[in-house]
Amino acid sequence: MTLARRFRLLLSGCLLTLILLPATITAQDASQPRKGAFVSYQCTFQASTNTAQINAVLMGGDGQPIPTGTYQVAVAAGDNPQALDSTRIKIERLDNRPPLQMILVLDITDTVPIDQIVNAISGHLFSGLNPQDRVALITFSEEIAPITQFYTDKARLVSEHMTNLIVLGGDNRLYDSLLQAAGSFPANSAGRKVILTVTDSGRRTLVQAADDDIVKAANRDKIQIYPVGFYSRDRTDDAALQKMAELTGGFSWLYTETRNSRDSIGTAVSKFLDETVRTLNSETLITVNMQGQTPNASGVVPLKIDINTNNDSALSDSVNCPFQTLQHSIAFATGIDTTQPITASVNIGVNVQSDLSSDATKVVFRVNDEVAQSGSSTKYTFNAAEHYPGYYTIEAQLWDTNNATLATTAAKLKLYAQQKLALRVVGDPTVLSGSVQFEVSSNPAYALPSSQIMVASVANPAQIFKLGDAVFQPDGKATLQVDNIQTVIDRLYPNRQPTDTFQITASVPGASTSDPKLAFSSPLTVSLPVTEQQAAAISPTSAAPSVPNVVANIPAAVVERINTINDQWVPPAAIIGLLALNYLLYRMIGRRRIMKLLNSPDNIDLSPQLMNITMRRGDIKQSHTLTRKTVNVGRGSTNDINLGDDPNISRQHGAIIWRKNNWWYSNRKKDTVTKINGKKIRGLKLVKLEPVTEIEIGQTLLVFHSNAQQDVSDFIKTNL
């Protein structure tokens, strides 16, 4: 074989090797799929929410963000390998990531098409970064230029340091410049740190920093390395750059086409830098509830974060989170009297102190260990009417938004709920005689034991006797029938006087003798008619026939004096005294007649034209149609028209009655005062009611008017 032929064969083999080399490298890279990356580069503690917020980079093996919902996050705190409950962890994609710091390590050896590379950096990298990202520049060839300052104005960095760059011959210092960049970030600076190198250089003659030293230096400060390599007359160490990127949580792009030009290299690098910007935006925010955590001696809580993705291998990283032990307290406000039973509503307030914001907490009230109220309100209203009578414990707690208890009141309040009963005499008479039926009403929602009906003398309320028991029915009503009330009272009070009055009450005893009553009623004051024996004791049969029957109750000595008045001379003073006595007798007879009218309706039917009583007290207005012949009004709950708690109103103040084909008003007690059409009426006096009549009782105005007149505001004259 000739020498020329041998040279041609050798040249063909070399060309064939050069042609096949890129395909061999590409095939080798494709056979080694890349791993994704997860780097938790920063943790901040939010005291107002008691959470740690972790900024992290999360990307797949293709260098692009992993879609939300295709991965799971587990966080373990401190030395505890047990992962926290998933409800305490929130992860979200950051569309606007925090600013980062970048050191651009730029190759300016003479094999680099520098103009095309600078244009690619300016038009595709810098234009895609956030305005607040800070970038510094290190250039290298056989020497390493000092690092520039960090610029947020990237155009200024280009104009001052990258325009008209001169490429230099000789060997390169790529690896030394990467190690120098890893130590050039500002000390104790927060935020994400990135080294981006654009190069076609590999290891040649010079002895440079080892790959492991560069990786260790980068990992000490969680610096990611992003190599962008290309082939020109020189070639990169592809495997080394890819490994360096993988071990620091970065990503590498390599343009290995050897049949290239300066423009094709510029186009490829521009594409890689566009992908670099997308990769830099692969950020997430992980929020961890730190309730119950304790910092170590350095004041931090170590968090280990594991990411399990659908397509990539498991990823993991750790971060130290600063931590502040928050203070919380909750205490009952003063002024709550727990010594007396609760019969109505009582407001229970708490004082709350917390390092958390009000939006991050809620106040929870527990009644008998069950949650009764949860929210932002620091006041809970305990309504005795809405609870079965008995003891209740009240506790308040401060919770966070994950329902973890932050603080609890030091002691529980112990309240006793007591129900109010309504007691009335069926027919509502105030003078009892014969067969009497007492009715007790309770809340039908609560099945109470039997009610005890008790009686006591108003003059001696401590001496109490039991009339009987009344069993509650499903409708909440209980009745007691007393066949002959006079016989029962005479047996209990054998020495009662005609003027004696009595208090009837209803109550349900407590669960034990030491407990308060489960329920009770207000006292109902009644009287009994005078018996024949009592009348005989005060009205002897020897009284002169000239004395009218209506004065049968006058003492015998007085009657005798009256009978002899015509048989002897009477001094003028005696005549005046007798006239005064006659006036007093007239008033007594008049009061008894009115009492009889009040308690004994006649047989005359109600008028077909119904009348109304409209009550006005402050802003309260109520209307009552008069469908009964006797309508009692007063402060007591047993009245047909309850006039409230005005102390100027008697419990049994007055009555509106239908008698002798007319409507009348009368007070029910001798010392009671009422104004009718502005005129003051005291004691038992009958006043005929004509439409329209104003009746003023205390601070309450009653207007008597026709049922057809619904709005009486036009003709009310009294200004209360």
Side-chain angles (χ1 to χ4, degrees):
M1 183 181 296
T2 63
L3 183 61
R5 181 175 176 78
R6 288 180 179 179
F7 179 75
R8 284 195 298 273
L9 288 173
L10 179 61
L11 181 60
S12 299
C14 291
L15 291 174
L16 181 61
T17 300
L18 290 173
I19 293 171
L20 294 177
L21 184 59
T24 303
I25 293 174
T26 302
Q28 182 180 358
D29 290 343
S31 66
Q32 298 178 354
R34 302 189 188 190
K35 291 179 59 177
F38 174 68
V39 179
S40 53
Y41 65 83
Q42 177 177 270
C43 183
T44 56
F45 179 71
Q46 304 295 323
S48 61
T49 56
N50 197 22
T51 57
Q53 293 192 336
I54 304 163
N55 292 94
V57 180
L58 179 60
M59 61 183 176
D62 57 357
Q64 298 304 310
I66 301 177
T68 304
T70 62
Y71 57 89
Q72 298 78 42
V73 180
V75 179
D79 298 328
N80 187 2
Q82 184 68 34
L84 300 176
D85 190 278
S86 60
T87 59
R88 299 178 61 178
I89 303 167
K90 176 184 177 183
I91 186 165
E92 54 190 316
R93 168 78 182 276
L94 284 183
D95 295 327
N96 297 311
R97 59 170 174 77
L100 57 76
Q101 299 175 83
M102 174 187 289
I103 296 179
L104 175 61
V105 178
L106 181 59
D107 190 342
I108 59 169
T109 56
D110 58 1
T111 59
V112 174
I114 194 64
D115 291 338
Q116 285 76 8
I117 297 300
V118 170
N119 288 337
I121 292 172
S122 176
H124 294 267
L125 174 65
F126 288 170
S127 63
L129 294 179
N130 291 350
Q132 297 303 313
D133 290 340
R134 301 169 65 234
V135 183
L137 175 67
I138 293 178
T139 59
F140 72 90
S141 57
E142 196 170 36
E143 300 292 335
I144 302 174
I147 187 171
T148 67
Q149 68 181 57
F150 281 86
Y151 289 85
T152 55
D153 185 352
K154 289 81 174 176
R156 182 182 169 193
L157 174 61
V158 172
S159 64
E160 293 184 1
H161 298 281
M162 300 177 66
T163 302
N164 299 321
L165 274 173
I166 299 174
V167 295
L168 302 173
D171 209 341
N172 73 83
R173 298 283 298 278
L174 168 64
Y175 296 94
D176 287 342
S177 62
L178 290 175
L179 183 61
Q180 180 174 317
S184 298
F185 287 92
N188 300 320
S189 60
R192 184 177 176 186
K193 302 175 181 65
V194 170
I195 295 175
L196 173 64
T197 182
V198 181
T199 182
D200 69 342
S201 296
R203 293 186 183 274
R204 301 296 177 258
T205 305
L206 291 175
V207 177
Q208 299 190 54
D211 295 352
D212 289 344
D213 292 338
I214 298 171
V215 171
K216 289 178 182 179
N219 286 339
R220 271 195 301 268
D221 207 13
K222 291 203 171 183
I223 301 169
Q224 297 174 275
I225 298 178
Y226 289 89
V228 174
F230 56 89
Y231 289 0
S232 61
R233 287 175 294 162
D234 204 351
R235 297 186 180 181
T236 55
D237 301 319
D238 300 340
L241 292 179
Q242 182 172 326
K243 190 69 173 177
M244 197 178 301
E246 181 180 307
L247 293 177
T248 61
F251 197 81
S252 63
W253 292 268
L254 301 174
Y255 176 54
T256 59
E257 178 61 57
T258 56
R259 295 179 179 177
N260 55 43
S261 64
R262 302 174 72 87
D263 289 338
S264 66
I265 292 173
T267 300
V269 170
S270 296
K271 176 178 177 296
F272 291 157
L273 292 178
D274 287 336
E275 294 183 8
T276 301
V277 170
R278 286 196 294 273
T279 300
L280 292 176
N281 290 332
S282 304
E283 288 212 16
T284 58
L285 180 67
I286 302 172
T287 303
V288 180
N289 185 299
M290 299 293 280
Q291 171 66 26
Q293 301 304 318
T294 303
N296 60 21
S298 301
V300 299
V301 176
L303 296 179
K304 183 177 182 297
I305 307 165
D306 294 312
I307 306 291
N308 291 312
T309 67
N310 295 341
N311 300 318
D312 291 283
S313 57
L315 306 172
S316 180
D317 197 10
S318 297
V319 63
N320 289 327
C321 287
F323 184 75
Q324 172 189 346
T325 302
L326 304 183
Q327 302 297 320
H328 318 279
S329 67
I330 185 170
F332 286 114
T334 57
I336 303 172
D337 185 5
T338 60
T339 62
Q340 299 297 322
I342 307 299
T343 58
S345 295
V346 59
N347 290 327
I348 301 172
V350 292
N351 297 321
V352 175
Q353 299 291 333
S354 177
D355 289 337
L356 290 176
S357 66
S358 58
D359 294 338
T361 61
K362 53 187 172 183
V363 178
V364 176
F365 288 91
R366 303 172 72 95
V367 178
N368 286 357
D369 296 326
E370 296 291 334
V371 175
Q373 178 177 298
S374 176
S376 60
S377 177
T378 58
K379 183 182 74 173
Y380 169 67
T381 300
F382 180 84
N383 188 352
E386 296 176 353
H387 294 81
Y388 189 88
Y391 285 108
Y392 289 87
T393 58
I394 312 294
E395 181 182 59
Q397 295 179 325
L398 186 66
W399 289 7
D400 65 11
T401 53
N402 289 307
N403 295 339
T405 302
L406 305 176
T408 303
T409 48
K412 297 180 180 180
L413 294 180
K414 189 175 183 181
L415 304 180
Y416 192 88
Q418 200 173 54
Q419 191 177 135
K420 290 293 293 289
L421 300 175
L423 172 65
R424 75 182 186 97
V425 178
V426 177
D428 284 342
T430 57
V431 179
L432 304 183
S433 63
S435 178
V436 175
Q437 188 178 74
F438 297 98
E439 181 184 83
V440 185
S441 299
S442 68
N443 188 338
Y446 308 118
L448 292 176
S450 297
S451 174
Q452 297 179 348
I453 311 297
M454 314 296 288
V455 61
S457 170
V458 173
N460 186 13
Q463 189 179 19
I464 304 174
F465 296 99
K466 182 177 177 180
L467 291 178
D469 292 324
V471 179
F472 286 103
Q473 301 302 313
D475 62 355
K477 296 184 183 298
T479 58
L480 173 66
Q481 183 77 32
V482 180
D483 292 335
N484 192 327
I485 190 67
Q486 291 167 286
T487 301
V488 173
I489 297 297
D490 287 341
R491 175 173 53 82
L492 298 176
Y493 299 93
N495 298 320
R496 75 176 179 92
Q497 299 299 312
T499 56
D500 286 349
T501 55
F502 299 90
Q503 290 184 157
I504 310 295
T505 57
S507 64
V508 178
S512 67
T513 56
S514 61
D515 289 342
K517 298 173 182 177
L518 294 178
F520 73 98
S521 73
S522 298
L524 181 64
T525 303
V526 298
S527 61
L528 278 75
V530 178
T531 65
E532 293 181 0
Q533 293 81 358
Q534 291 170 330
I538 61 177
S539 302
T541 57
S542 59
S546 59
V547 179
N549 291 334
V550 292
V551 293
N553 292 332
I554 302 174
V558 176
V559 174
E560 183 178 357
R561 184 68 173 167
I562 294 174
N563 289 335
T564 59
I565 193 169
N566 294 323
D567 300 331
Q568 53 186 299
W569 179 82
V570 180
I575 295 175
I576 294 173
L578 289 173
L579 290 174
L581 177 61
N582 187 57
Y583 174 73
L584 293 175
L585 289 173
Y586 175 79
R587 289 191 61 184
M588 184 179 72
I589 293 169
R591 286 199 296 267
R592 288 191 174 276
R593 186 177 61 186
I594 292 174
M595 287 297 298
K596 184 177 180 180
L597 284 174
L598 287 172
N599 297 320
S600 303
D602 55 31
N603 295 324
I604 300 175
D605 292 335
L606 287 175
S607 169
Q609 181 183 7
L610 293 178
M611 304 301 288
N612 269 23
I613 287 290
T614 295
M615 180 184 73
R616 291 186 59 179
R617 182 174 65 250
D619 295 332
I620 299 175
K621 178 181 176 182
Q622 295 177 345
S623 186
H624 304 268
T625 302
L626 301 178
T627 59
R628 300 170 57 183
K629 293 185 178 182
T630 301
V631 177
N632 292 323
V633 297
R635 184 159 54 91
S637 60
T638 59
N639 290 284
D640 299 292
I641 300 178
N642 190 329
L643 302 183
D645 297 328
D646 189 341
N648 296 316
I649 300 176
S650 174
R651 289 185 179 276
Q652 299 174 7
H653 199 98
I656 299 166
I657 60 175
W658 172 261
R659 302 290 188 271
K660 299 181 180 180
N661 213 25
N662 282 296
W663 285 102
W664 307 81
Y665 173 84
S666 175
N667 295 321
R668 293 157 68 188
K669 292 184 178 181
K670 62 182 180 179
D671 56 350
T672 301
V673 177
T674 301
K675 285 185 179 180
I676 298 184
N677 286 336
K679 183 179 179 181
K680 185 179 294 185
I681 304 297
R682 181 183 295 276
L684 294 166
K685 291 184 179 180
L686 282 175
V687 178
K688 186 176 179 181
L689 300 179
E690 299 286 351
V692 173
T693 302
E694 296 183 18
I695 306 170
E696 295 181 55
I697 303 177
Q699 296 297 314
T700 301
L701 173 65
L702 301 177
V703 180
F704 175 82
H705 61 94
S706 169
N707 181 260
Q709 297 169 310
Q710 295 299 318
D711 187 358
V712 298
S713 59
D714 292 339
F715 47 79
I716 292 177
K717 305 179 182 62
T718 303
N719 183 9
L720 292 180

